[in-house]
Amino acid sequence: ASSSPSDPFNSSRRKIARAKEHLDNLTREIRAFVDGGAYKQVVEDDPDRPGYTIHKIKLIEPISPAIEDIAGDVIINLRSALDHACFAVAVASGNADPKNAYFPFARTAEGLERAIKGRCKNIPKEIYPLFHSFQPYEGGDELLWALNLLCTADKHRIITPMGTGCLQPGINLNGTGFFDMPTPPVWDRTK
């Protein structure tokens, strides 16, 4: 890991800066994809509720590989920044070549202590309460947990970003009756 004596977190900061650059690129690519008419709006009768309609957005072009690749770059850089920071802490504490200086994640709050003892052996124990405060597990800090899941997934397959939107600035939703947005959103890759 690259760091300087004046700023031991230099490499972590660089990873974050790179993630921000990728995020800017991702935003531009998504905007170009959406503005390029890559989707159509479809209104269908709801088969389960007569008199109701389902509004869908269907892609008419595949998602650009650049969008998928850049999304992975954002995720990997952010996740790596956490490990770089832990490595810097281990080096700053006097360990010249730490082998176990990773940011810990666990499936549960109970599993976090095991993760810390295994993956953070070269990090001073005084830092362990800080790791606990981040709650890097499912049911804790959901953003950290999602970042780790996405990073792990991106190591094995391409991540396809998807999202839902209901209201955006400049758009009005008018009507009467029931309005429903599936939570979590439904994504059918085949459609």
Side-chain angles (χ1 to χ4, degrees):
S2 167
S3 63
S4 68
S6 62
D7 181 5
F9 297 106
N10 180 49
S11 66
S12 189
R13 291 180 207 286
R14 286 175 52 190
K15 288 289 185 182
I16 293 169
R18 190 70 178 136
K20 287 178 181 178
E21 290 175 27
H22 286 306
L23 185 57
D24 289 343
N25 290 338
L26 180 62
T27 301
R28 282 192 292 276
E29 287 287 335
I30 290 171
R31 178 58 44 215
F33 182 74
V34 169
D35 290 348
Y39 67 93
K40 65 180 177 179
Q41 295 180 352
V42 176
V43 179
E44 299 173 351
D45 291 330
D46 185 336
D48 299 326
R49 295 182 289 191
Y52 289 87
T53 56
I54 299 172
H55 296 255
K56 298 179 179 181
I57 295 176
K58 291 192 175 189
L59 297 179
I60 55 177
E61 291 181 27
I63 292 178
S64 162
I67 290 173
E68 297 171 331
D69 294 343
I70 297 168
D73 292 339
V74 171
I75 292 162
I76 287 171
N77 276 283
L78 289 174
R79 176 65 181 88
S80 293
L82 295 171
D83 286 337
H84 279 240
C86 289
F87 186 88
V89 168
V91 170
S93 71
N95 190 326
D97 188 25
K99 301 289 187 217
N100 292 292
Y102 301 93
F103 189 90
F105 283 91
R107 291 194 183 278
T108 64
E110 295 76 28
L112 183 60
E113 190 61 35
R114 285 188 306 278
I116 290 171
K117 287 179 180 175
R119 299 191 47 86
C120 306
K121 289 177 188 173
N122 298 134
I123 296 173
K125 289 181 179 20
E126 293 81 10
I127 301 298
Y128 293 4
L130 182 62
F131 289 143
H132 285 283
S133 75
F134 291 138
Q135 300 178 327
Y137 46 80
E138 187 172 18
D141 186 316
E142 294 294 339
L143 288 176
L144 272 176
W145 178 246
L147 175 65
N148 191 56
L149 284 181
L150 289 169
C151 186
T152 300
D154 189 67
K155 292 176 184 177
H156 304 283
R157 66 183 182 274
I158 299 294
I159 298 294
T160 301
M162 68 90 110
T164 62
C166 175
L167 301 174
Q168 295 184 12
I171 296 176
N172 293 318
L173 180 64
N174 296 311
T176 60
F178 179 77
F179 174 80
D180 185 26
M181 173 71 81
T183 304
V186 178
W187 175 259
D188 186 340
R189 183 180 276 281
T190 62
K191 295 181 179 181

